[in-house]
Amino acid sequence: MRIALSLLLAAACGTALPAHAQDCHDAQAAAEEAYVVRADNVLPDRPGYTRDTAASVCRRWPARPELTLLATPVWRDGGDHDARDGDVEILVIDSDSLASRAWTVLPGALDSDAVFFDGMQLDTARYQLAPGVLAFGLRVQRRNGSGPNPFSEEQLQLLAIQAGTLRALGAPMVLRRFQAEWDTRCAGDSTEVSRTVAVGPAGKRGLADLVLRERRVTTHSWMDGDACRDQDTPVEGDRYVLRYDGRQYAIPEALHSL
């Protein structure tokens, strides 16, 4: 009903649907329009939760340009900016008509307390996991507000449309983490961990393995007279092979968020 009404109004006015809602130049406008025209059974409003469309992200899917991806934070009412939790709603829409093609909710994807939500991005790298199964990712950034003990990390969660349903393929996995302890002027130590994801060989349960390679850099900083000196020590880290069990990828504890 909402889709038909929106199309009817656009036709009556002699105009097309807003270009920004299709090309993602304005992610908030794209999300708000997509929610207006969605069918009644698509991500219905939930009492006690508020959508934060100002923080929505939008991207036309390069591998499938007829589809556009949208992700919107949905916060549980009652918290404040520094201590709140919520979900992320994901919509896959038709790039031209804005009709909803698939959708899901990632429950508990957002948790802002000592380490708080710091934005998110859609990852449209070509995660071809099987013939006809192309995944995309949601990357969520988190950080703390500590000067002497800064911390930040980025998580990736993969999703795919299977049998017409959008599904998360496993828990989020941390691809980047930075943490340090220093005197806020120069002296201190830090560690940065970064991981890359590649699609591996075909798996035994329908989807290909995922191969993660890790690199660690530790940095020691100290004052040398009036100059601050740094010494980096890069180390090749662990290698992880994630296998699909027929329902999801098992994510080892080492890749979980702190």
Side-chain angles (χ1 to χ4, degrees):
M1 177 64 73
R2 276 182 280 200
I3 294 173
L5 179 59
S6 180
L7 293 172
L8 181 61
L9 289 172
C13 297
T15 60
L17 287 169
H20 57 63
Q22 300 174 37
D23 59 23
C24 290
H25 286 168
D26 185 334
Q28 181 176 5
E32 290 176 355
E33 180 69 11
Y35 277 106
V36 166
V37 303
R38 77 193 191 280
D40 291 334
N41 66 325
V42 177
L43 299 175
D45 298 340
R46 292 179 287 159
Y49 287 83
T50 300
R51 290 189 181 94
D52 182 10
T53 55
S56 294
V57 290
C58 174
R59 178 173 289 186
R60 197 158 181 163
W61 200 348
R64 299 189 62 185
E66 75 278 11
L67 298 177
T68 293
L69 310 174
L70 282 161
T72 300
V74 185
W75 296 103
R76 189 191 304 271
D77 294 344
D80 58 39
H81 185 270
D82 295 327
R84 55 181 179 169
D85 63 276
D87 310 331
V88 175
E89 293 181 343
I90 310 286
L91 263 173
V92 180
I93 64 173
D94 185 286
S95 297
D96 294 326
S97 71
L98 307 189
S100 304
R101 299 303 183 201
W103 56 90
T104 195
V105 178
L106 303 178
L110 305 179
D111 179 10
S112 286
D113 196 350
V115 179
F116 53 84
F117 172 69
D118 195 37
M120 58 186 183
Q121 298 173 317
L122 289 160
D123 181 345
T124 54
R126 198 173 183 88
Y127 298 108
Q128 190 75 56
L129 302 178
V133 181
L134 180 66
F136 66 90
L138 179 71
R139 292 177 178 255
V140 174
Q141 291 84 36
R142 303 167 69 238
R143 67 180 178 89
N144 69 4
S146 172
N149 299 102
F151 172 90
S152 64
E153 68 176 17
E154 180 178 79
Q155 309 166 12
L156 171 67
Q157 189 163 16
L158 293 180
L159 303 100
I161 300 173
Q162 296 178 300
T165 300
L166 183 60
R167 297 182 55 248
L169 299 179
M173 45 190 166
V174 173
L175 293 192
R176 187 192 61 80
R177 178 177 290 144
F178 174 84
Q179 51 194 133
E181 183 176 352
W182 70 311
D183 63 4
T184 72
R185 296 183 300 278
C186 172
D189 297 280
S190 66
T191 301
E192 184 165 13
V193 179
S194 58
R195 301 180 177 111
T196 59
V197 182
V199 178
K204 297 180 179 179
R205 299 292 184 90
L207 298 186
D209 295 344
L210 297 174
V211 180
L212 279 71
R213 290 181 171 83
E214 180 180 277
R215 186 171 186 267
R216 293 174 177 264
V217 178
T218 60
T219 301
H220 176 64
S221 303
W222 69 97
M223 290 298 300
D224 182 5
D226 293 331
C228 183
R229 306 292 186 187
D230 295 321
Q231 181 177 17
D232 293 340
T233 305
V235 177
E236 292 301 318
D238 296 327
R239 177 178 180 270
Y240 302 90
V241 178
L242 312 185
R243 294 187 169 88
Y244 189 70
D245 64 7
R247 187 176 62 88
Q248 63 180 5
Y249 287 96
I251 309 300
E253 189 68 29
L255 302 182
H256 287 187
S257 175
L258 292 181

